[in-house]
């Protein structure tokens, strides 16, 4: 996938999932905080489960599509790992990308199992997601041997976002329901997504004017550019968060207050998922 | 032990202990969760203690056998550390491997003491196990000077599993009884075990056809192969876990419900070990 | 800003903020501890909020001034990023410094929002401050390519203080109100400030007598000098802390005791901010 | 202090403090656990305080003696930092060692203040001790430029013990009174002490027969030797711990049981120190 589209595609996935996470967790946080005002009615536990299962299903289907695409594109390996006639490994790049998708697929399956049955321990979904991010970073880490300085550098910067995402997920296993960690995950996912696009623009510029991959000034600019992407991701999450908070509040104001006796059992349901662990 | 058997042997040990841990902790987790259904009868605290003591005894005996084997195999150092006639250290490799076994032996002795007496602080067993894993990784780390690129790489990949295992054990000291950490330990042990086999196949292929240890493509394949081993270890643990959960549930369904009065004291016993700390 | 003033200026900012933090948190800690003696009257929750908002406003204004100064000094880039006539990036140093200020500006805005509204989750202020410190260290890290040994070394030593500050802020997210972490943040800020001055004196000595940037003895002296700065920062914080504690105590002794009935509601207010999280 | 005595002296200090810590914390742990059997009488809170103050006083006096010795030995710098006649720094080694002692002196003063007054926050003593260990490791880290391979290696191995000690102290700030961390600190201190002796024997062998500092086999032996020192330190701490536990138990058996009414207030005192934090 050494082309512009090959970086824009995963970039878009990560951008969407970052936005999705920022919105989802903001909504749930607003619900939890305004429970006394009747916000429990907005997202019950049953709704939350359905949303999680939907998220898991989407993640599984996209990863399966990704794996199949990597294998069966015209110049893909078509499940052949070793070329016996020429005695070398066949299209390792595609295999590596398929392996990355494989772990996100496992993470998606785990989300499905955790939220549709009661058998799996809580926190397993975050754990597997953390492993998927770690695995992505791990493969990129040993991916860069012998490339140009700037090429190596832009991929190394990506590692901050992937390993940061993995660390965030692992912390979430122990501090489940912490809104800051959840938004941080959204932020790092957005950062990763927009950086994939940036890598595409740097290494395969659509304008056709190539960057000098050995220029020290380009390195310094790219580093700073990464910080701007981070600032942009932080701002996006902040905008999503405050929009959600405002919408929830204005809705609650318009809703007629319920009687306390009716409200209580539903509230409990709404919060129990985060407190079972 | 620079041969195929020398890597397959410890590999098998780690594979077995990974499976053992996955099974043991799944069973105890299922017991804890289904306590209200009478699962306390399946594993009482006394049984758990006996199982732990058995585990410690097996660990001690295997490590002692390992140490003796390293010393007294035909080309072993036979407890001689320095060769005074030729003025050099004698068979340092065997001594290093014996040192690794020594720390697992210490960990086994600690398990015996912690679970057969009440004198040692809880968590000491995990702590010593963590030190044993750390020590193994530490010796491998300074072991690789001047070897071929691929040889170094396969051993470095092993370090992720050993240091990961050490970190997991250390976290278990503070979060005892966390099922995710316990299963992670099992997973990393399986990973280490299957990777030892893989190292054996790469460096001393039984087929006789040697790998090119300086080929960059081989490096990239091996990195990806490590991820597959991780996926395989995760799947194995998942299979073990779900089998155990299913068996426990079907057994509970067939058991006649006990009276609550009789049940309670036993339940308490069953859970107390994890909560003393 | 490659001159003496360019290092003395941020150094002074960090020195002042270090002193400010040491004083502020010492006062609040003294208030919390002597609550039963009526210290709740010294700093109520409303006062604390006003102080925080003041801090945020100062941080925002200084960062905006910093950004403008970096852009519009006589030899600044004046918002031009790329020099199309000479085909290279324009004054990247100034842009990098402006980026650092940008993140401190974001941290300041977050402090304002967290403490003037109730919408943002608690801990977000520390979190953004941690990101600002991390970002500063991150830019310095990739800033040093191809400089002299001693130049690289003095900037690397600075990284201990910046990354240490980032780590402290992140820990504060989970352990909010821990006086040790708060004082550590003050200490590291003082260390960073005095070290900026030291860098100025080493690289651009006002006396005009240049240092030998390749001498190994200078390296060793500078390393030790950094430890002295740390000792100095620790002592300064200790002096500030004990002064505040003494002043609070002597004041409390002179105050007439209040009736318990009147005191209680105010006390509660005083402590609630740290316990909401 | 580039001689045998210069390594044996600090080594002995660390050995003694390791033994002291192992004994002290074992005794307190045994007291806490056997409180119901009347062990509260063995070490009351007042005794604990006196012991801590004694420890602080010893630490301060030894560090001051160390600093004076480094400065005023016949070939010491005698407080002169810069040799203006020959334009170079004067005996930086002695200054660096004095700086290390300075931080242990600060840690000792902190222990005195924390345990003799009520003004300082609890945990500050561990915190400063952690900084003292970190500072020691930090100075060693930038100390090794341009030495022989084995010389660098033995000092690098020392860093595992010093940074490990620093990390342990920092963890103790958050998990105060955890017996495992306290014994680990003792173990790492013993390890550091015995390793200082080992360094002395390797670099300045009293037998006069010099080691080959560039031999790879020596490196491998030294690495393994470090593991043996760790095993020795673990065993020593285990022996001290079990001796203390046995002595406490046999004493309790001989003591006549006290009435519960009398016992309770003293018990509370005994445990309060660890729980104030």
């Amino acid at each position: 996938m050494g082309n512009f589209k090959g970086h824009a595609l995963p970039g878009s996935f990560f951008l969407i999932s970052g936005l999705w996470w920022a919105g989802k967790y903001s909504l749930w946080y607003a619900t939890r905080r305004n429970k006394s005002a009747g916000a429990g009615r907005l997202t019950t536990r049953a709704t939350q489960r359905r949303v999680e299962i939907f998220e898991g299903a989407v993640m599984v289907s996209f990863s399966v599509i990704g794996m199949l695409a990597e294998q069966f594109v015209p110049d893909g390996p078509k499940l052949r790992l070793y070329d016996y006639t020429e005695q070398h490994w066949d299209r390792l790049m595609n295999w590596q990308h398929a392996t990355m998708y494989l772990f996100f697929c496992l993470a998606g399956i785990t989300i499905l199992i955790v939220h549709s049955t009661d058998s799996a321990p809580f926190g397993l979904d975050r754990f597997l997601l953390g492993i998927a991010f770690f695995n992505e970073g791990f493969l990129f880490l040993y991916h860069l041997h012998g490339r140009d300085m700037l090429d190596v550098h832009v991929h190394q910067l990506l590692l901050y976002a992937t390993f940061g995402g993995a660390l965030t997920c692992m912390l979430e296993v122990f501090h489940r329901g912490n809104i800051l960690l959840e938004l941080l995950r959204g932020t790092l996912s957005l950062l990763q997504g927009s950086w994939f696009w940036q890598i595409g623009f740097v290494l395969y510029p659509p304008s056709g004017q190539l960057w000098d991959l050995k220029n020290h000034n380009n390195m310094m600019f790219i580093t700073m550019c990464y910080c701007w992407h981070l600032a942009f991701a932080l701002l996006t999450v902040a905008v999503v968060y405050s929009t959600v908070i405002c919408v929830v509040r204005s809705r609650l104001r318009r809703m007629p207050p319920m009687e306390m006796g009716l409200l209580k059992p539903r509230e409990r349901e709404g919060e129990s998922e985060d407190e079972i662990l």
Side-chain angles (χ1 to χ4, degrees), chain A residues 176-218:
Chain A
R176 196 182 180 87
N178 185 321
I179 180 71
L180 284 177
L181 288 177
E182 291 167 343
L183 293 181
L184 177 60
R185 178 145 57 95
T187 309
L188 289 173
S189 189
L190 278 174
L191 172 61
Q192 209 180 330
S194 66
W195 194 246
F196 262 117
W197 276 87
Q198 180 75 45
I199 294 180
F201 276 109
V202 169
L203 299 185
Y204 316 99
S207 69
Q209 220 193 341
L210 294 175
W211 288 51
D212 178 355
L213 297 183
K214 281 164 190 165
N215 184 337
H216 183 60
N217 270 331
N218 280 343

Side-chain angles (χ1 to χ4, degrees), chain A residues 243-254:
Chain A
T243 314
V244 169
I245 294 278
C246 288
V247 168
V248 166
R249 281 201 186 154
S250 69
R251 278 224 177 171
L252 285 178
R253 237 172 278 132
R254 269 179 289 140

Side-chain angles (χ1 to χ4, degrees), chain A residues 16 22-23 29 31 38 47 59 76 79 100 108 136 153 162 165 167 171 210 222-224 232 244 250 257 259 261 273:
Chain A
I16 291 166
Y29 179 68
T31 313
T47 325
M59 203 185 269
L79 296 180
M100 291 181 194
E136 188 200 340
H153 189 58
T162 42
L167 187 65
L171 280 174
L210 294 175
I222 279 294
T223 310
M224 187 171 55
F232 155 80
V244 169
S250 69
E259 284 180 48
E273 187 146 284

Side-chain angles (χ1 to χ4, degrees), chain A residues 120-131:
Chain A
F122 241 78
L124 193 65
D125 48 349
R126 305 295 156 85
F127 188 71
L128 261 282
L129 192 60
I131 286 183

